[in-house]
């Protein structure tokens, strides 16, 4: 049985309670707002704002509502002086956004490039503006080897019934890392680091199902961009790609397409449903998110 944890606001927890209203349990868990069970997954929302998902589909169910806190801060002991090593790092963007693709990037940064990237101001993409990300990504693509995989919403919806949200990310990280290792041959990185999105055991369970998988030792750390610039670079390149895809969708739809999974996403989804039904919507959103049901109720 897997588990996942989200930290949500009171308003967001009330939305969850409404969404799971038909699945609420009578039992009262101490210090909780509500408990529910849907499709074999137990959901418990606590007064502290933490929401615990437990069950075989826990991570997939939690992914509807935001980025999970499933893993410990650090599940692997990194080698000494890790930040100064030549590392291949990977990260993803778009997992928590209803509109737009899922982008996974692997980037390789050798020891000689570390100082250059520091001077550029490479760091966690969440600490940079969108304009900074776009400009920095262009420079990084010229400086370092990278492999970017972009799964547009239509392809995502085709894959998603077979691959839950976590397994899909495992497959994409594995593929991006494998292809980049081929690209940089005969160079071999000192280490491979994945910005952790699930437990190490869970990653290894899913990657075993991939026909071609990376066999080298991989390290898993949450907030990986704080441990090596390769993960930060991967984060910036994947974020820039995600923004570019949202821009394309905005031009096609002649309206601003939002990121995230909030009310603006619900409203635009309802508009698309009115215009072209589910066939139009599936081209732009990840259909399994709770937003789809909310948009359907709005019309």
């Amino acid at each position: 049985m897997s588990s996942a944890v989200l930290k949500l606001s009171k308003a967001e927890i009330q939305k969850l309670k409404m969404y799971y209203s038909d699945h609420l349990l009578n039992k009262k868990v101490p210090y909780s707002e509500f408990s529910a069970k849907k499709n074999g997954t137990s959901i418990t929302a606590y007064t502290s704002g933490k929401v615990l998902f437990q069950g075989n589909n826990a991570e997939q169910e939690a992914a509807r509502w935001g980025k999970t806190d499933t893993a410990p801060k650090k599940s692997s002991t990194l080698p000494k002086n890790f930040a100064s090593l030549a590392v291949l790092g990977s990260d993803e963007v778009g997992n928590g956004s209803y509109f737009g693709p899922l982008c996974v990037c692997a980037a390789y940064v050798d020891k000689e490039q570390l100082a250059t990237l520091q001077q550029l101001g490479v760091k966690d993409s969440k600490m940079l503006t969108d304009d900074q990300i776009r400009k920095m990504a262009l420079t990084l693509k010229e400086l370092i080897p990278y492999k970017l995989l972009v799964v547009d919403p239509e392809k995502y919806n085709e894959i998603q019934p077979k691959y839950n949200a976590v397994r899909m990310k495992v497959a994409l990280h594995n593929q991006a890392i494998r292809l980049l290792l081929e690209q940089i041959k005969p160079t071999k990185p000192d280490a491979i680091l994945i910005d952790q999105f699930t437990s190490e055991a869970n990653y290894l369970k899913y990657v075993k199902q991939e026909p071609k998988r990376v066999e080298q030792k991989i390290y898993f750390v949450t907030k990986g961009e704080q441990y090596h610039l390769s993960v930060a670079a991967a984060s910036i390149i994947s974020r820039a790609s995600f923004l570019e895809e949202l821009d394309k969708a905005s031009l096609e739809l002649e309206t601003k397409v939002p990121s995230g999974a909030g009310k603006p996403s619900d409203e635009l989804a309802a508009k698309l449903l009115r215009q072209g039904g589910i066939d139009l919507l599936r081209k732009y959103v990840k259909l399994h998110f709770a937003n789809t049901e909310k948009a359907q109720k709005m019309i």
Side-chain angles (χ1 to χ4, degrees):
M1 180 175 70
S2 62
S3 63
V5 177
L6 292 177
K7 179 72 173 178
L8 301 177
S9 68
K10 289 184 178 180
E12 289 170 326
I13 287 177
Q14 286 306 307
K15 287 183 181 179
L16 258 72
K17 189 173 183 178
M18 289 179 63
Y19 178 77
Y20 294 114
S21 58
D22 293 336
H23 306 276
L24 294 175
L25 301 177
N26 290 327
K27 68 175 183 178
K28 178 64 178 176
V29 178
Y31 307 107
S32 71
E33 295 285 348
F34 73 88
S35 295
K37 190 166 186 177
K38 182 182 179 184
N39 298 331
T41 298
S42 298
I43 304 101
T44 306
Y46 292 92
T47 53
S48 64
K50 284 192 175 183
V51 183
L52 174 64
F53 297 79
Q54 289 182 305
N56 293 332
N57 298 312
E59 288 166 322
Q60 184 176 3
E61 195 68 30
R64 297 171 180 268
W65 306 98
K67 190 163 183 177
T68 58
D69 186 17
T70 57
K73 184 175 177 70
K74 196 171 174 180
S75 70
S76 302
T77 302
L78 297 179
K80 291 182 179 179
N81 304 317
F82 190 83
S84 62
L85 299 179
V87 173
L88 188 158
S90 69
D91 199 3
E92 87 281 337
V93 173
N95 178 62
S97 181
Y98 182 51
F99 279 88
L102 174 59
C103 302
V104 176
C105 181
Y108 174 66
V109 179
D110 66 29
K111 297 174 185 178
E112 289 71 28
Q113 294 171 314
L114 290 169
T116 302
L117 265 61
Q118 285 176 334
Q119 290 172 359
L120 281 173
V122 172
K123 54 187 172 183
D124 182 7
S125 64
K126 299 182 190 68
M127 300 172 66
L128 299 168
T129 66
D130 286 351
D131 284 343
Q132 288 175 320
I133 288 168
R134 294 175 195 271
K135 291 175 184 176
M136 203 172 288
L138 291 173
T139 304
L140 286 171
K141 287 178 178 181
E142 295 294 325
L143 281 176
I144 62 173
Y146 71 95
K147 186 62 185 179
L148 174 66
L149 302 178
V150 179
V151 182
D152 64 49
E154 207 161 11
K155 184 65 175 178
Y156 182 99
N157 292 322
E158 180 185 329
I159 298 170
Q160 192 273 324
K162 301 173 186 176
Y163 281 62
N164 66 37
V166 176
R167 185 184 172 191
M168 193 185 302
K169 286 190 288 183
V170 169
L172 291 168
H173 277 268
N174 176 72
Q175 185 180 6
I177 292 167
R178 180 178 61 80
L179 292 173
L180 184 55
L181 285 171
E182 288 291 325
Q183 183 179 321
I184 65 175
K185 275 184 176 180
T187 301
K188 292 184 179 180
D190 295 326
I192 299 172
L193 179 64
I194 293 178
D195 189 43
Q196 190 167 13
F197 54 86
T198 189
S199 68
E200 184 172 350
N202 218 28
Y203 182 94
L204 295 174
K205 177 186 76 173
Y206 283 124
V207 82
K208 285 179 181 178
Q209 301 176 50
E210 295 304 305
K212 295 181 180 180
R213 56 184 178 272
V214 176
E215 301 289 353
Q216 290 99 316
K217 168 67 176 175
I218 297 176
Y219 296 92
F220 304 85
V221 183
T222 57
K223 301 186 184 301
E225 65 281 346
Q226 296 181 8
Y227 292 89
H228 201 276
L229 289 175
S230 61
V231 177
S235 170
I236 290 167
I237 293 171
S238 53
R239 175 68 181 171
S241 176
F242 176 77
L243 292 172
E244 183 180 337
E245 293 300 315
L246 285 189
D247 288 345
K248 289 179 184 177
S250 298
L251 285 173
E252 291 173 7
L253 296 172
E254 298 181 341
T255 188
K256 175 70 174 176
V257 173
S259 67
K263 188 176 179 180
S265 296
D266 300 338
E267 292 171 345
L268 180 54
K271 180 180 177 181
L272 296 185
L273 282 171
R274 292 189 191 100
Q275 289 177 352
I278 201 74
D279 288 338
L280 176 60
L281 188 63
R282 73 170 62 251
K283 295 179 181 180
Y284 296 98
V285 308
K286 304 174 182 75
L287 284 176
H288 70 97
F289 275 41
N291 303 75
T292 300
E293 187 173 334
K294 288 187 281 185
Q296 289 169 331
K297 288 179 179 178
M298 290 173 71
I299 63 169

